[in-house]
Amino acid sequence: MERYESHSYDVVVVGAGGAGLRAAIEAAAAGCSVGLVCKSLLGKAHTVMAEGGVAAALATTDPRDSWKVHFRDTMRGGKLLNDWRMAKLHAQEAPARVNELEAWGALFDRTPDGRILQRNFGGHQYPRLAHVGDRTGLEMIRTLQDKTVRSPGVDVYMETTVAKLLKDGDHIAGALAYRRDTGRFIVFRSKAVVLATGGIGRAYRVNSNSWEYTGDGHALAYAAGADLVGMEFVQFHPTGMVWPLSVRGILITEGVRGEGGVLKNARGERFMFRYIPEMFRKDFADSEEEADRWVAEVIAGRKAEARRPPELLTRDVVARAITQEVREGRGSPHGGAFLDIASKRKPEEIRKKLPSMWQQFHELADVDITRQPMEVYPTTHYVMGGVLVDPETQQATVPGLFAAGEVGGGLHGANRLGGNSLSDLLVFGRRAGAGAAGYAKAFAGEPRVETAQVEGAVAELLAPFERTGGGENPYAVQEALQDMMGTYVGIARKEDDLRTALAELEKLRARLGRVVVDGNRQYNPGWNTAIDLGNLLAVSEAVTRAALERRESRGAHTRVEYPDSDTHFGTVNVIVRRQGKRMTVAQEPIPPLPEELRHVVEGEV
Ligand SMILES: Cc1cc2nc3c(=O)[nH]c(=O)nc-3n(C[C@H](O)[C@H](O)[C@H](O)COP(=O)(O)OP(=O)(O)OC[C@H]3O[C@@H](n4cnc5c(N)ncnc54)[C@H](O)[C@@H]3O)c2cc1C
């Protein structure tokens, strides 16, 4: 073991996005030594890309808001599959986490009287997203990073990828990682590990995600024996860029619709009025006149009395509506819908409230959004499924393993509301840091890492260098996987397609076994891709098996043969679990909602 660089910590945090930074701050504040490991540079995590804002019932812009309304919106958005205990903690604690961020130096947009300004977003009844123009994630990361580097006892390992979790018997003992620049391995010994690795979007070709989103945390947890929950729920954000092809999938923030943008088909019809689900009918405008009145009230800074435009329905509903319009021949020239804010807001307002969107379209598509509509189509954006955790501590089903942020499961149920991820990572990042610190402090003795475990993992990781002959190219295998997932496990799923996907996954796994990489280990993207591929295959299989198991349509999961929601499936979560080398799925009952919370979800607040 002496031949590897090695370090010991109370807590190792994997990932330095919002969740990882918040967890590291909390664990350090509890007096723990912390190793913070991230595969990109510090400050470059996916969270910087977050645009629209962070959801918290601060009630600064509309005093009618409260944690109960936020809880209700989150549960209804998640089609009641959410872990209600997490949804309650999230709604109750989000305002304190946003205020804390402000106290640490985050500069949010302001109301005229100096309070944090909140914007409208899909599925949120009142303006609830604290924001910094459309660059909220950048400000959050800047603030959290500043706080982290000032926290005593936190060492940062940048451009370092964790490739395996190490165990001592049934509990966590650390992690094996490699430095991307030198390719050298590091053994971390630690009592607790917090996974904060983000999502899985790179399993699909058209996606809004950063290169880091290869499902590492999901796959590491699964391999270590932890349960995953809700993996069938992959969010396809309704508004990704369509054209030019080279930028297909890049996100257009929901903030565009929150600021009054409307969706139209090729005939110029505002089609969303035809897609309002029964559950939401009384909360949404049923005429253009009423929807426009809502926009006018919001722009004037008045409390909206009109009902919200249907463009602000939840993402699953809007994404399905756009795909249906295109399927039925009413799509835009490049196969999408038109998103028009130019006819609703003044050019100077658009440039002030949506500067990144203006720049994105100007530079990438030669479109001026203050004058022309954007073309949009759904893009793979977020995974609701993740590591099954205890709601209070974020501990997984493996002792000593914790998870927070996008890699954690439960909070969002069948569909996440925009803005609820940034609040999720603040609330549960903090809880995971505290949970891991509590666990580490109570842990007697030191975790033991066996040499054989490390040597076995290292040999597996180096195998692509050892193979000779004309093997497989890792990029070709990754592209084949992405295309396969888009074709067979996309927005609308069928049993035959899902079974085909499982067969294709077997073939891709065999191809991964033949992958060959050239050169040495220093900054070798081919080798790094080969390692990521194992994770992508594991999460793709988890999504496919869970999608096959859920024989209904709910939230982000649509089964063509079962177009409606099913009463039985409304009472269970699908759990993915490793048994030996086999991936299994099981249905497990959702804890019943207490009477007082059922009243909140169903009734008036
Ligand atoms: C364009 C865009 C806009 C968005 N806008 C919003 C918004 O306005 N509001 C909202 O609520 N949500 C938004 N989201 C979603 C939100 O940004 C993410 O869900 C959230 O930032 C995830 O944060 P995280 O801390 O879980 O992970 P991340 O911020 O992705 O951090 C993951 C970290 O893990 C590291 N990592 C991954 N694998 C490994 C490994 N094997 N070893 C070591 N390190 C690893 C990465 O390097 C990174 O540091 C948006 C998403 C996108 C793509």
Side-chain angles (χ1 to χ4, degrees):
M1 198 87 93
E2 293 70 38
R3 64 199 188 92
Y4 303 114
E5 177 184 346
S6 65
H7 304 277
S8 290
Y9 293 100
D10 296 320
V11 177
V12 162
V13 177
V14 188
L21 292 171
R22 192 61 193 82
I25 292 167
E26 202 63 20
C32 286
S33 59
V34 179
L36 177 61
V37 189
C38 53
K39 72 182 187 182
S40 58
L41 292 169
L42 196 63
K44 294 276 181 200
H46 186 89
T47 298
V48 289
M49 294 163 73
E51 296 164 348
V54 45
L58 296 160
T60 52
T61 303
D62 194 321
R64 291 172 293 187
D65 205 7
S66 67
W67 77 262
K68 287 186 178 170
V69 189
H70 192 183
F71 171 78
R72 182 178 71 184
D73 292 347
T74 302
M75 293 294 295
R76 290 172 72 176
K79 309 297 179 282
L80 308 187
L81 281 197
N82 324 55
D83 183 320
W84 60 263
R85 299 160 302 180
M86 289 177 81
K88 184 176 174 210
L89 290 170
H90 168 253
Q92 288 177 328
E93 294 178 8
R97 297 286 74 78
V98 171
N99 286 328
E100 170 183 80
L101 215 55
E102 191 190 33
W104 291 347
L107 294 168
F108 291 102
D109 285 8
R110 303 259 145 208
T111 60
D113 61 351
R115 291 174 303 152
I116 293 176
L117 178 65
Q118 300 190 271
R119 75 162 33 125
N120 286 287
F121 239 55
H124 293 280
Q125 183 168 358
Y126 299 119
R128 189 175 287 145
L129 268 67
H131 58 279
V132 185
D134 54 5
R135 295 172 183 149
T136 312
L138 180 62
E139 183 67 359
M140 282 180 62
I141 284 288
R142 186 193 65 75
T143 309
L144 289 169
Q145 192 175 306
D146 226 41
K147 181 81 180 164
T148 305
V149 296
R150 287 162 202 259
S151 298
V154 181
D155 293 335
V156 181
Y157 298 83
M158 288 193 265
E159 298 201 298
T160 301
T161 301
V162 169
K164 189 167 173 65
L165 295 177
L166 303 170
K167 285 176 78 179
D168 179 7
D170 69 339
H171 60 265
I172 286 295
L176 173 70
Y178 65 92
R179 291 188 185 273
R180 297 171 79 86
D181 55 354
T182 60
R184 299 181 72 121
F185 291 103
I186 310 182
V187 175
F188 290 103
R189 283 189 187 77
S190 69
K191 297 169 184 168
V193 169
V194 178
L195 293 172
T197 48
I200 68 160
R202 291 278 156 170
Y204 293 82
R205 190 187 287 258
V206 178
N207 69 78
S208 65
N209 292 178
S210 76
W211 64 273
E212 296 155 292
Y213 268 32
T214 48
D216 296 9
H218 292 76
L220 289 167
Y222 168 76
D227 288 353
L228 305 179
V229 62
M231 290 302 290
E232 64 276 35
F233 296 113
V234 176
Q235 182 168 76
F236 297 91
H237 191 293
T239 58
M241 285 182 82
V242 182
W243 191 256
L245 270 186
S246 57
V247 298
R248 197 177 174 114
I250 291 184
L251 194 77
I252 299 151
T253 176
E254 197 162 313
V256 176
R257 284 170 284 141
E259 297 293 340
V262 296
L263 287 164
K264 293 179 184 165
N265 62 21
R267 296 181 191 159
E269 297 161 342
R270 263 181 88 174
F271 56 83
M272 281 310 302
F273 289 100
R274 288 191 268 112
Y275 293 93
I276 305 174
E278 203 43 55
M279 186 186 197
F280 295 111
R281 201 165 284 285
K282 75 175 181 28
D283 300 325
F284 283 83
D286 54 13
S287 69
E288 289 199 31
E289 181 280 319
E290 186 180 4
D292 288 348
R293 194 149 35 88
W294 180 89
V295 175
E297 287 172 332
V298 167
I299 293 173
R302 289 199 301 275
K303 226 163 61 178
E305 297 299 339
R307 290 174 298 173
R308 306 160 70 72
E311 280 84 3
L312 289 177
L313 278 156
T314 53
R315 291 175 174 177
D316 51 332
V317 177
V318 182
R320 264 196 302 274
I322 294 174
T323 49
Q324 189 162 334
E325 288 298 305
V326 174
R327 211 173 34 242
E328 292 175 4
R330 297 184 292 276
S332 64
H334 300 103
F338 291 111
L339 175 59
D340 165 32
I341 188 153
S343 68
K344 296 287 168 191
R345 302 292 298 262
K346 296 193 185 99
E348 60 274 20
E349 289 172 348
I350 297 171
R351 289 176 81 143
K352 175 161 178 232
K353 296 306 287 184
L354 301 161
S356 302
M357 289 302 106
W358 184 84
Q359 196 175 5
Q360 182 173 311
F361 273 87
H362 176 68
E363 285 180 7
L364 301 179
D366 198 21
V367 166
D368 178 355
I369 67 168
T370 66
R371 292 189 302 113
Q372 297 160 275
M374 297 158 250
E375 272 187 83
V376 300
Y377 193 75
T379 179
T380 312
H381 184 59
Y382 185 88
V383 61
M384 273 68 73
V387 180
L388 180 70
V389 289
D390 170 72
E392 303 268 340
T393 62
Q394 299 291 106
Q395 184 161 208
T397 48
V398 170
L401 184 63
F402 297 76
E406 192 164 339
V407 69
L411 169 62
H412 307 291
N415 175 57
R416 173 181 72 93
L417 298 186
N420 269 1
S421 173
L422 294 185
S423 41
D424 169 3
L425 56 84
L426 291 176
V427 169
F428 294 107
R430 174 181 160 275
R431 282 185 166 271
Y439 176 90
K441 285 180 164 177
F443 190 91
E446 288 301 314
R448 250 174 347 110
V449 172
E450 281 173 8
T451 310
Q453 203 179 144
V454 174
E455 297 288 357
V458 165
E460 228 174 90
L461 293 167
L462 294 179
F465 288 111
E466 306 300 325
R467 296 184 192 116
T468 49
E472 291 278 358
N473 175 322
Y475 300 109
V477 182
Q478 182 174 8
E479 283 185 13
L481 171 68
Q482 290 177 324
D483 288 341
M484 190 284 288
M485 287 298 285
T487 306
Y488 299 119
V489 199
I491 298 185
R493 297 153 174 187
K494 289 192 225 147
E495 168 140 7
D496 285 358
D497 286 352
L498 293 169
R499 293 204 182 281
T500 305
L502 287 179
E504 291 297 316
L505 282 166
E506 287 255 313
K507 291 185 207 157
L508 289 163
R509 205 177 293 284
R511 287 178 68 184
L512 173 62
R514 298 192 295 272
V515 157
V516 173
V517 292
D518 294 329
N520 59 36
R521 289 195 251 153
Q522 294 167 10
Y523 272 129
N524 186 330
W527 180 47
N528 301 164
T529 300
I531 294 171
D532 293 347
L533 255 176
N535 299 327
L536 281 172
L537 283 169
V539 293
S540 299
E541 183 177 347
V543 171
T544 309
R545 288 197 185 280
L548 200 50
E549 183 70 8
R550 186 168 286 281
R551 292 178 296 281
E552 65 158 355
S553 294
R554 183 183 295 269
H557 170 68
T558 301
R559 281 288 297 268
V560 175
E561 329 79 313
Y562 306 100
D564 300 318
S565 295
D566 174 272
T567 316
H568 164 72
F569 278 105
T571 64
V572 292
N573 285 137
V574 174
I575 304 293
V576 171
R577 186 171 289 146
R578 186 167 69 81
Q579 275 176 356
K581 290 199 163 173
R582 222 162 50 85
M583 185 179 280
T584 63
V585 288
Q587 296 179 19
E588 295 204 346
I590 298 172
L593 195 61
E595 203 45 44
E596 72 275 11
L597 291 179
R598 178 163 300 286
H599 176 72
V600 171
V601 169
E602 287 172 358
E604 299 301 316
V605 177

